[in-house]
Amino acid sequence: MKKLFLLGLAAAMATGSFSANAGDYGVQTFKPGLKLELVWANANDAKTLAGCRVGTGTNNKFYLNDYANGTVKVYDETGFVKDIKVADFIWVSNNADNAGHIIARADTEKWPGSTSYAGAGATTATAFYVIDSKTDEVISKQLVCPNRPAGRGDAFGHINFDVANDFWILYHCFETAFAEIMFNGTESCTGSSSYPIKIGEEFKGTNAAKGQTLGIAQPFGRFDEENGQFLDLAVFANNYLGLTGTAGGFGNGIRHYTCTIGQEATGDITFTWNPEQEYFITPDHSSINGFMVFELAGKQWVVYPAGESGGVNSSDAFGIAEVTYADTPKSAADQREKVLAARLYGQTNDAGGILNPAKANYMSFNVEPVDGDPNSVYIYSFAQQGAMVVTKFTVDNSGIEDLLVEDENAPVEYYNLQGIRVENPANGIFIRRKGHNSSKIVL
């Protein structure tokens, strides 16, 4: 049986060296017509920022919540740019919208009987601030959320709206429920609804049978124009290090919810979120949370953490998969090649050890279009005390019919991290390729 041979593997791989102790990134694509390239990475600054658990990239910069100092720190590829003072206490969560605004969460009340604001549980304690990434100015202050679920919510997903418009929705996960929080532009929060988080039966008897404060939800896909409502929601509520990743047997933890729109006798429109018995297939998923669903070249894709090494999650590696579903969250090895599009491998040292082990179980993503190139997007990724990384993902199906054909018993080939073929690899980190299967190895 013959299989398609990926022409130009070297052109489909890129790497970056940033300092003597920063190591190299390996970039790998798995299918014809796909390409993942490293654009730039700031691999040093974030290592000193233990107080910045969440940071989001947009407009060629990263915005990191410094919750101890009430500021949002701004970085680009050259290093620190500025501090944006937001509030006396800013909580750990932020993310971006479709127009390059950063939405950062602060807390306005302390925990009862405590001097700490840290993710305060009062239902009126949450405020959201909007930053314009073009000017790095706060353009909206204290869009306070009334009646959200009580308890900590440490992260939220990408906001599939332009928050400068008249209406937008933010989805915020808590341990037992997720909130659908509605806003009127940058003026005010108009209310919220709460929906219980449903954990699959497969997780019974494990720690992952309950939700996490770092759970996130992101709307995507179908959109009801009349009601301004997305009809698809991706939710990963129960990420547990060492358990809900592929290595722990539950590699497909992101669950698909769908919205049903109804009408009461009073004429009021109702929205109900229903968990489907299907999960995103995310091969090589680490048990770090964070993901983003996006559309490119007429298809849906999901980018997610994929940095497992010796039982330790690396916080700077990710995978991209075409959106496909399974009826169970349990990992299925035979699905890997069908859906996996590309991988960014975490930085490693000369001995093959990872340089950025996870300091927290969350990794943030933002995907933005590339001006003048409808087939490409920029992917921004960041995890606490890891690296701020920008990559470019391209889907170009032209010319696939002209690819050479190679026998499935093709010999083993080795490439260095620059994508150059090596005849006799030794004493280093290489990409090993046999047929259409590739892996990163240390010799």
Side-chain angles (χ1 to χ4, degrees), residues 26-59:
V27 180
Q28 184 180 3
T29 52
F30 294 89
K31 294 180 182 298
L34 304 179
K35 184 178 182 181
L36 184 66
E37 304 168 274
L38 183 67
V39 178
W40 63 264
N42 181 335
N44 299 312
D45 285 314
K47 293 180 183 300
T48 64
L49 301 175
C52 297
R53 294 180 60 186
V54 173
T56 305
T58 184
N59 200 26

PDB file of all heavy atoms in Angstrom, residues 26-59:
ATOM      1  N   GLY A  26      11.164  22.571  18.480  1.00  0.00           N
ATOM      2  CA  GLY A  26      10.950  21.791  17.280  1.00  0.00           C
ATOM      3  C   GLY A  26       9.514  21.966  16.832  1.00  0.00           C
ATOM      4  O   GLY A  26       8.582  21.891  17.634  1.00  0.00           O
ATOM      5  N   VAL A  27       9.306  22.242  15.540  1.00  0.00           N
ATOM      6  CA  VAL A  27       7.976  22.449  14.988  1.00  0.00           C
ATOM      7  C   VAL A  27       7.734  21.357  13.961  1.00  0.00           C
ATOM      8  O   VAL A  27       8.583  21.092  13.117  1.00  0.00           O
ATOM      9  CB  VAL A  27       7.849  23.840  14.334  1.00  0.00           C
ATOM     10  CG1 VAL A  27       6.452  24.038  13.767  1.00  0.00           C
ATOM     11  CG2 VAL A  27       8.174  24.932  15.339  1.00  0.00           C
ATOM     12  N   GLN A  28       6.578  20.745  14.029  1.00  0.00           N
ATOM     13  CA  GLN A  28       6.321  19.594  13.162  1.00  0.00           C
ATOM     14  C   GLN A  28       4.907  19.652  12.617  1.00  0.00           C
ATOM     15  O   GLN A  28       3.959  19.933  13.357  1.00  0.00           O
ATOM     16  CB  GLN A  28       6.514  18.303  13.956  1.00  0.00           C
ATOM     17  CG  GLN A  28       6.379  17.042  13.128  1.00  0.00           C
ATOM     18  CD  GLN A  28       6.582  15.794  13.977  1.00  0.00           C
ATOM     19  OE1 GLN A  28       6.761  15.885  15.180  1.00  0.00           O
ATOM     20  NE2 GLN A  28       6.556  14.644  13.355  1.00  0.00           N
ATOM     21  N   THR A  29       4.748  19.389  11.323  1.00  0.00           N
ATOM     22  CA  THR A  29       3.425  19.233  10.730  1.00  0.00           C
ATOM     23  C   THR A  29       3.246  17.783  10.310  1.00  0.00           C
ATOM     24  O   THR A  29       4.199  17.079  10.016  1.00  0.00           O
ATOM     25  CB  THR A  29       3.234  20.159   9.522  1.00  0.00           C
ATOM     26  OG1 THR A  29       4.328  19.970   8.617  1.00  0.00           O
ATOM     27  CG2 THR A  29       3.188  21.611   9.948  1.00  0.00           C
ATOM     28  N   PHE A  30       1.998  17.342  10.263  1.00  0.00           N
ATOM     29  CA  PHE A  30       1.722  15.924  10.078  1.00  0.00           C
ATOM     30  C   PHE A  30       0.983  15.601   8.789  1.00  0.00           C
ATOM     31  O   PHE A  30       0.868  14.442   8.431  1.00  0.00           O
ATOM     32  CB  PHE A  30       0.885  15.397  11.260  1.00  0.00           C
ATOM     33  CG  PHE A  30       1.630  15.412  12.562  1.00  0.00           C
ATOM     34  CD1 PHE A  30       1.610  16.529  13.369  1.00  0.00           C
ATOM     35  CD2 PHE A  30       2.365  14.321  12.976  1.00  0.00           C
ATOM     36  CE1 PHE A  30       2.294  16.549  14.567  1.00  0.00           C
ATOM     37  CE2 PHE A  30       3.058  14.327  14.174  1.00  0.00           C
ATOM     38  CZ  PHE A  30       3.025  15.449  14.980  1.00  0.00           C
ATOM     39  N   LYS A  31       0.448  16.606   8.115  1.00  0.00           N
ATOM     40  CA  LYS A  31      -0.367  16.329   6.949  1.00  0.00           C
ATOM     41  C   LYS A  31       0.057  17.219   5.777  1.00  0.00           C
ATOM     42  O   LYS A  31       0.534  18.335   5.980  1.00  0.00           O
ATOM     43  CB  LYS A  31      -1.851  16.567   7.269  1.00  0.00           C
ATOM     44  CG  LYS A  31      -2.428  15.598   8.295  1.00  0.00           C
ATOM     45  CD  LYS A  31      -3.892  15.910   8.547  1.00  0.00           C
ATOM     46  CE  LYS A  31      -4.469  14.976   9.597  1.00  0.00           C
ATOM     47  NZ  LYS A  31      -4.428  13.573   9.177  1.00  0.00           N
ATOM     48  N   PRO A  32      -0.142  16.755   4.552  1.00  0.00           N
ATOM     49  CA  PRO A  32       0.146  17.600   3.388  1.00  0.00           C
ATOM     50  C   PRO A  32      -0.696  18.861   3.415  1.00  0.00           C
ATOM     51  O   PRO A  32      -1.845  18.853   3.858  1.00  0.00           O
ATOM     52  CB  PRO A  32      -0.238  16.711   2.202  1.00  0.00           C
ATOM     53  CG  PRO A  32      -0.229  15.312   2.738  1.00  0.00           C
ATOM     54  CD  PRO A  32      -0.616  15.405   4.168  1.00  0.00           C
ATOM     55  N   GLY A  33      -0.136  19.949   2.943  1.00  0.00           N
ATOM     56  CA  GLY A  33      -0.876  21.195   2.856  1.00  0.00           C
ATOM     57  C   GLY A  33      -0.918  21.992   4.145  1.00  0.00           C
ATOM     58  O   GLY A  33      -1.574  23.035   4.194  1.00  0.00           O
ATOM     59  N   LEU A  34      -0.235  21.538   5.195  1.00  0.00           N
ATOM     60  CA  LEU A  34      -0.214  22.244   6.474  1.00  0.00           C
ATOM     61  C   LEU A  34       1.203  22.690   6.789  1.00  0.00           C
ATOM     62  O   LEU A  34       2.170  22.039   6.411  1.00  0.00           O
ATOM     63  CB  LEU A  34      -0.734  21.355   7.600  1.00  0.00           C
ATOM     64  CG  LEU A  34      -2.137  20.754   7.429  1.00  0.00           C
ATOM     65  CD1 LEU A  34      -2.478  19.888   8.627  1.00  0.00           C
ATOM     66  CD2 LEU A  34      -3.173  21.840   7.233  1.00  0.00           C
ATOM     67  N   LYS A  35       1.314  23.793   7.517  1.00  0.00           N
ATOM     68  CA  LYS A  35       2.630  24.295   7.881  1.00  0.00           C
ATOM     69  C   LYS A  35       2.536  25.078   9.179  1.00  0.00           C
ATOM     70  O   LYS A  35       1.681  25.952   9.332  1.00  0.00           O
ATOM     71  CB  LYS A  35       3.183  25.186   6.763  1.00  0.00           C
ATOM     72  CG  LYS A  35       4.605  25.688   6.991  1.00  0.00           C
ATOM     73  CD  LYS A  35       5.059  26.510   5.798  1.00  0.00           C
ATOM     74  CE  LYS A  35       6.486  26.995   5.955  1.00  0.00           C
ATOM     75  NZ  LYS A  35       6.925  27.811   4.807  1.00  0.00           N
ATOM     76  N   LEU A  36       3.436  24.773  10.115  1.00  0.00           N
ATOM     77  CA  LEU A  36       3.547  25.515  11.365  1.00  0.00           C
ATOM     78  C   LEU A  36       4.958  26.074  11.460  1.00  0.00           C
ATOM     79  O   LEU A  36       5.933  25.341  11.307  1.00  0.00           O
ATOM     80  CB  LEU A  36       3.264  24.604  12.567  1.00  0.00           C
ATOM     81  CG  LEU A  36       3.265  25.279  13.938  1.00  0.00           C
ATOM     82  CD1 LEU A  36       2.119  26.279  14.062  1.00  0.00           C
ATOM     83  CD2 LEU A  36       3.177  24.241  15.051  1.00  0.00           C
ATOM     84  N   GLU A  37       5.054  27.385  11.695  1.00  0.00           N
ATOM     85  CA  GLU A  37       6.353  28.058  11.754  1.00  0.00           C
ATOM     86  C   GLU A  37       6.465  28.850  13.058  1.00  0.00           C
ATOM     87  O   GLU A  37       5.485  29.449  13.502  1.00  0.00           O
ATOM     88  CB  GLU A  37       6.499  29.034  10.592  1.00  0.00           C
ATOM     89  CG  GLU A  37       6.308  28.430   9.222  1.00  0.00           C
ATOM     90  CD  GLU A  37       6.177  29.510   8.175  1.00  0.00           C
ATOM     91  OE1 GLU A  37       5.055  29.998   7.964  1.00  0.00           O
ATOM     92  OE2 GLU A  37       7.213  29.880   7.577  1.00  0.00           O
ATOM     93  N   LEU A  38       7.658  28.881  13.611  1.00  0.00           N
ATOM     94  CA  LEU A  38       7.917  29.739  14.757  1.00  0.00           C
ATOM     95  C   LEU A  38       8.176  31.156  14.268  1.00  0.00           C
ATOM     96  O   LEU A  38       9.027  31.378  13.402  1.00  0.00           O
ATOM     97  CB  LEU A  38       9.128  29.226  15.531  1.00  0.00           C
ATOM     98  CG  LEU A  38       9.464  29.994  16.804  1.00  0.00           C
ATOM     99  CD1 LEU A  38       8.386  29.819  17.856  1.00  0.00           C
ATOM    100  CD2 LEU A  38      10.812  29.544  17.347  1.00  0.00           C
ATOM    101  N   VAL A  39       7.453  32.139  14.791  1.00  0.00           N
ATOM    102  CA  VAL A  39       7.637  33.549  14.427  1.00  0.00           C
ATOM    103  C   VAL A  39       8.613  34.203  15.402  1.00  0.00           C
ATOM    104  O   VAL A  39       9.648  34.714  15.000  1.00  0.00           O
ATOM    105  CB  VAL A  39       6.288  34.294  14.406  1.00  0.00           C
ATOM    106  CG1 VAL A  39       6.491  35.774  14.068  1.00  0.00           C
ATOM    107  CG2 VAL A  39       5.341  33.648  13.402  1.00  0.00           C
ATOM    108  N   TRP A  40       8.308  34.209  16.695  1.00  0.00           N
ATOM    109  CA  TRP A  40       9.246  34.672  17.706  1.00  0.00           C
ATOM    110  C   TRP A  40       8.823  34.141  19.066  1.00  0.00           C
ATOM    111  O   TRP A  40       7.685  33.707  19.248  1.00  0.00           O
ATOM    112  CB  TRP A  40       9.384  36.198  17.733  1.00  0.00           C
ATOM    113  CG  TRP A  40       8.158  37.015  18.075  1.00  0.00           C
ATOM    114  CD1 TRP A  40       7.283  37.590  17.199  1.00  0.00           C
ATOM    115  CD2 TRP A  40       7.707  37.386  19.391  1.00  0.00           C
ATOM    116  NE1 TRP A  40       6.307  38.282  17.861  1.00  0.00           N
ATOM    117  CE2 TRP A  40       6.551  38.197  19.215  1.00  0.00           C
ATOM    118  CE3 TRP A  40       8.157  37.136  20.679  1.00  0.00           C
ATOM    119  CZ2 TRP A  40       5.827  38.728  20.294  1.00  0.00           C
ATOM    120  CZ3 TRP A  40       7.446  37.672  21.751  1.00  0.00           C
ATOM    121  CH2 TRP A  40       6.299  38.453  21.559  1.00  0.00           C
ATOM    122  N   ALA A  41       9.750  34.175  19.990  1.00  0.00           N
ATOM    123  CA  ALA A  41       9.459  33.748  21.359  1.00  0.00           C
ATOM    124  C   ALA A  41      10.305  34.547  22.327  1.00  0.00           C
ATOM    125  O   ALA A  41      11.475  34.815  22.074  1.00  0.00           O
ATOM    126  CB  ALA A  41       9.730  32.252  21.530  1.00  0.00           C
ATOM    127  N   ASN A  42       9.709  34.937  23.410  1.00  0.00           N
ATOM    128  CA  ASN A  42      10.411  35.549  24.531  1.00  0.00           C
ATOM    129  C   ASN A  42      10.503  34.478  25.603  1.00  0.00           C
ATOM    130  O   ASN A  42       9.537  34.193  26.310  1.00  0.00           O
ATOM    131  CB  ASN A  42       9.651  36.772  25.033  1.00  0.00           C
ATOM    132  CG  ASN A  42      10.348  37.471  26.179  1.00  0.00           C
ATOM    133  OD1 ASN A  42      11.116  36.872  26.922  1.00  0.00           O
ATOM    134  ND2 ASN A  42      10.068  38.755  26.345  1.00  0.00           N
ATOM    135  N   ALA A  43      11.663  33.851  25.685  1.00  0.00           N
ATOM    136  CA  ALA A  43      11.813  32.671  26.530  1.00  0.00           C
ATOM    137  C   ALA A  43      12.428  32.978  27.882  1.00  0.00           C
ATOM    138  O   ALA A  43      12.649  32.068  28.673  1.00  0.00           O
ATOM    139  CB  ALA A  43      12.675  31.629  25.808  1.00  0.00           C
ATOM    140  N   ASN A  44      12.719  34.223  28.160  1.00  0.00           N
ATOM    141  CA  ASN A  44      13.451  34.539  29.381  1.00  0.00           C
ATOM    142  C   ASN A  44      12.643  35.339  30.391  1.00  0.00           C
ATOM    143  O   ASN A  44      12.652  35.049  31.578  1.00  0.00           O
ATOM    144  CB  ASN A  44      14.731  35.312  29.029  1.00  0.00           C
ATOM    145  CG  ASN A  44      15.657  34.499  28.144  1.00  0.00           C
ATOM    146  OD1 ASN A  44      15.933  33.344  28.429  1.00  0.00           O
ATOM    147  ND2 ASN A  44      16.106  35.097  27.054  1.00  0.00           N
ATOM    148  N   ASP A  45      11.913  36.367  29.943  1.00  0.00           N
ATOM    149  CA  ASP A  45      11.228  37.253  30.879  1.00  0.00           C
ATOM    150  C   ASP A  45      10.227  36.522  31.765  1.00  0.00           C
ATOM    151  O   ASP A  45      10.145  36.770  32.964  1.00  0.00           O
ATOM    152  CB  ASP A  45      10.519  38.370  30.122  1.00  0.00           C
ATOM    153  CG  ASP A  45      11.494  39.424  29.614  1.00  0.00           C
ATOM    154  OD1 ASP A  45      12.361  39.842  30.392  1.00  0.00           O
ATOM    155  OD2 ASP A  45      11.384  39.815  28.448  1.00  0.00           O
ATOM    156  N   ALA A  46       9.439  35.644  31.163  1.00  0.00           N
ATOM    157  CA  ALA A  46       8.353  35.020  31.914  1.00  0.00           C
ATOM    158  C   ALA A  46       8.859  34.128  33.042  1.00  0.00           C
ATOM    159  O   ALA A  46       8.133  33.849  33.990  1.00  0.00           O
ATOM    160  CB  ALA A  46       7.462  34.211  30.972  1.00  0.00           C
ATOM    161  N   LYS A  47      10.096  33.677  32.954  1.00  0.00           N
ATOM    162  CA  LYS A  47      10.618  32.769  33.979  1.00  0.00           C
ATOM    163  C   LYS A  47      10.715  33.433  35.344  1.00  0.00           C
ATOM    164  O   LYS A  47      10.742  32.767  36.368  1.00  0.00           O
ATOM    165  CB  LYS A  47      11.995  32.246  33.551  1.00  0.00           C
ATOM    166  CG  LYS A  47      11.956  31.345  32.329  1.00  0.00           C
ATOM    167  CD  LYS A  47      13.356  30.862  31.975  1.00  0.00           C
ATOM    168  CE  LYS A  47      13.332  30.012  30.719  1.00  0.00           C
ATOM    169  NZ  LYS A  47      12.490  28.820  30.835  1.00  0.00           N
ATOM    170  N   THR A  48      10.777  34.739  35.367  1.00  0.00           N
ATOM    171  CA  THR A  48      10.896  35.453  36.646  1.00  0.00           C
ATOM    172  C   THR A  48       9.554  35.934  37.166  1.00  0.00           C
ATOM    173  O   THR A  48       9.492  36.548  38.233  1.00  0.00           O
ATOM    174  CB  THR A  48      11.822  36.670  36.487  1.00  0.00           C
ATOM    175  OG1 THR A  48      11.228  37.597  35.577  1.00  0.00           O
ATOM    176  CG2 THR A  48      13.185  36.243  35.964  1.00  0.00           C
ATOM    177  N   LEU A  49       8.479  35.655  36.435  1.00  0.00           N
ATOM    178  CA  LEU A  49       7.183  36.227  36.770  1.00  0.00           C
ATOM    179  C   LEU A  49       6.271  35.181  37.400  1.00  0.00           C
ATOM    180  O   LEU A  49       5.274  34.773  36.820  1.00  0.00           O
ATOM    181  CB  LEU A  49       6.536  36.812  35.506  1.00  0.00           C
ATOM    182  CG  LEU A  49       7.349  37.904  34.802  1.00  0.00           C
ATOM    183  CD1 LEU A  49       6.672  38.319  33.513  1.00  0.00           C
ATOM    184  CD2 LEU A  49       7.541  39.104  35.708  1.00  0.00           C
ATOM    185  N   ALA A  50       6.612  34.746  38.590  1.00  0.00           N
ATOM    186  CA  ALA A  50       5.811  33.723  39.263  1.00  0.00           C
ATOM    187  C   ALA A  50       4.408  34.226  39.557  1.00  0.00           C
ATOM    188  O   ALA A  50       3.462  33.448  39.674  1.00  0.00           O
ATOM    189  CB  ALA A  50       6.501  33.294  40.554  1.00  0.00           C
ATOM    190  N   GLY A  51       4.239  35.555  39.694  1.00  0.00           N
ATOM    191  CA  GLY A  51       2.933  36.121  40.006  1.00  0.00           C
ATOM    192  C   GLY A  51       2.031  36.287  38.807  1.00  0.00           C
ATOM    193  O   GLY A  51       0.896  36.727  38.965  1.00  0.00           O
ATOM    194  N   CYS A  52       2.511  35.948  37.622  1.00  0.00           N
ATOM    195  CA  CYS A  52       1.695  36.087  36.415  1.00  0.00           C
ATOM    196  C   CYS A  52       1.273  34.701  35.949  1.00  0.00           C
ATOM    197  O   CYS A  52       1.974  34.040  35.174  1.00  0.00           O
ATOM    198  CB  CYS A  52       2.468  36.821  35.317  1.00  0.00           C
ATOM    199  SG  CYS A  52       2.909  38.513  35.746  1.00  0.00           S
ATOM    200  N   ARG A  53       0.122  34.273  36.412  1.00  0.00           N
ATOM    201  CA  ARG A  53      -0.342  32.920  36.097  1.00  0.00           C
ATOM    202  C   ARG A  53      -1.004  32.834  34.729  1.00  0.00           C
ATOM    203  O   ARG A  53      -1.057  31.766  34.128  1.00  0.00           O
ATOM    204  CB  ARG A  53      -1.311  32.435  37.174  1.00  0.00           C
ATOM    205  CG  ARG A  53      -0.657  32.247  38.536  1.00  0.00           C
ATOM    206  CD  ARG A  53      -1.654  31.764  39.570  1.00  0.00           C
ATOM    207  NE  ARG A  53      -2.248  30.499  39.191  1.00  0.00           N
ATOM    208  CZ  ARG A  53      -3.254  29.934  39.897  1.00  0.00           C
ATOM    209  NH1 ARG A  53      -3.750  30.553  40.938  1.00  0.00           N
ATOM    210  NH2 ARG A  53      -3.758  28.774  39.519  1.00  0.00           N
ATOM    211  N   VAL A  54      -1.568  33.941  34.247  1.00  0.00           N
ATOM    212  CA  VAL A  54      -2.270  33.942  32.964  1.00  0.00           C
ATOM    213  C   VAL A  54      -1.815  35.141  32.149  1.00  0.00           C
ATOM    214  O   VAL A  54      -1.656  36.241  32.682  1.00  0.00           O
ATOM    215  CB  VAL A  54      -3.799  33.989  33.163  1.00  0.00           C
ATOM    216  CG1 VAL A  54      -4.504  34.160  31.830  1.00  0.00           C
ATOM    217  CG2 VAL A  54      -4.288  32.721  33.857  1.00  0.00           C
ATOM    218  N   GLY A  55      -1.579  34.924  30.874  1.00  0.00           N
ATOM    219  CA  GLY A  55      -1.228  36.010  29.971  1.00  0.00           C
ATOM    220  C   GLY A  55      -1.709  35.692  28.576  1.00  0.00           C
ATOM    221  O   GLY A  55      -1.693  34.533  28.158  1.00  0.00           O
ATOM    222  N   THR A  56      -2.144  36.699  27.850  1.00  0.00           N
ATOM    223  CA  THR A  56      -2.720  36.507  26.523  1.00  0.00           C
ATOM    224  C   THR A  56      -1.983  37.364  25.506  1.00  0.00           C
ATOM    225  O   THR A  56      -1.664  38.523  25.777  1.00  0.00           O
ATOM    226  CB  THR A  56      -4.210  36.887  26.519  1.00  0.00           C
ATOM    227  OG1 THR A  56      -4.885  36.137  27.528  1.00  0.00           O
ATOM    228  CG2 THR A  56      -4.840  36.572  25.170  1.00  0.00           C
ATOM    229  N   GLY A  57      -1.736  36.803  24.325  1.00  0.00           N
ATOM    230  CA  GLY A  57      -1.069  37.527  23.266  1.00  0.00           C
ATOM    231  C   GLY A  57      -2.041  38.084  22.249  1.00  0.00           C
ATOM    232  O   GLY A  57      -3.029  37.433  21.897  1.00  0.00           O
ATOM    233  N   THR A  58      -1.753  39.294  21.775  1.00  0.00           N
ATOM    234  CA  THR A  58      -2.522  39.901  20.699  1.00  0.00           C
ATOM    235  C   THR A  58      -1.725  41.073  20.149  1.00  0.00           C
ATOM    236  O   THR A  58      -0.905  41.669  20.856  1.00  0.00           O
ATOM    237  CB  THR A  58      -3.905  40.395  21.185  1.00  0.00           C
ATOM    238  OG1 THR A  58      -4.649  40.905  20.072  1.00  0.00           O
ATOM    239  CG2 THR A  58      -3.784  41.487  22.232  1.00  0.00           C
ATOM    240  N   ASN A  59      -1.911  41.389  18.873  1.00  0.00           N
ATOM    241  CA  ASN A  59      -1.282  42.557  18.257  1.00  0.00           C
ATOM    242  C   ASN A  59       0.239  42.557  18.464  1.00  0.00           C
ATOM    243  O   ASN A  59       0.844  43.581  18.721  1.00  0.00           O
ATOM    244  CB  ASN A  59      -1.907  43.837  18.821  1.00  0.00           C
ATOM    245  CG  ASN A  59      -1.687  45.045  17.930  1.00  0.00           C
ATOM    246  OD1 ASN A  59      -1.518  44.917  16.723  1.00  0.00           O
ATOM    247  ND2 ASN A  59      -1.665  46.221  18.532  1.00  0.00           N
TER     248      ASN A  59
END
